[in-house]
Amino acid sequence: MPLRVVRLSVPLPDIEQRLAADVTTERREELREAARQIAGGEGVGVADVVLPNDRPVPVVAQQIMTWLGWV
């Protein structure tokens, strides 16, 4: 079965803003992990396509489904 990989790209300041609404120890840990992954370039080069995840979920989902040829 062929595998197609979509990487959703979000700048760290946007991640910080999204997580700020739920200030818990877990969220702070998730932010540190996101920063570490971004700094380390984790996932770079693995995806078939990289899409910005800075739009509403239905818009991003539609773009992914279109790219896959599902719609």
Side-chain angles (χ1 to χ4, degrees), residues 9-48:
S9 175
V10 180
L12 189 56
D14 291 356
I15 296 171
E16 290 173 342
Q17 182 180 5
R18 291 177 186 186
L19 295 179
D22 184 15
V23 183
T24 64
T25 301
E26 182 178 352
R27 290 294 189 219
R28 286 191 298 270
E29 291 171 8
E30 290 169 348
L31 181 57
R32 281 192 295 274
E33 179 61 17
R36 185 191 67 74
Q37 289 179 9
I38 290 169
E42 289 189 26
V44 173
V46 174
D48 297 307

Side-chain angles (χ1 to χ4, degrees), residues 4-10 37-53 60 64 67:
R4 301 187 72 189
V5 178
V6 176
R7 180 173 183 235
L8 299 177
S9 175
V10 180
Q37 289 179 9
I38 290 169
E42 289 189 26
V44 173
V46 174
D48 297 307
V49 67
V50 178
L51 300 175
N53 193 18
V60 175
I64 293 168
W67 176 74

Side-chain angles (χ1 to χ4, degrees), residues 55-67:
R55 295 155 294 153
V57 171
V59 174
V60 175
Q62 179 70 38
Q63 188 174 7
I64 293 168
M65 291 187 299
T66 300
W67 176 74

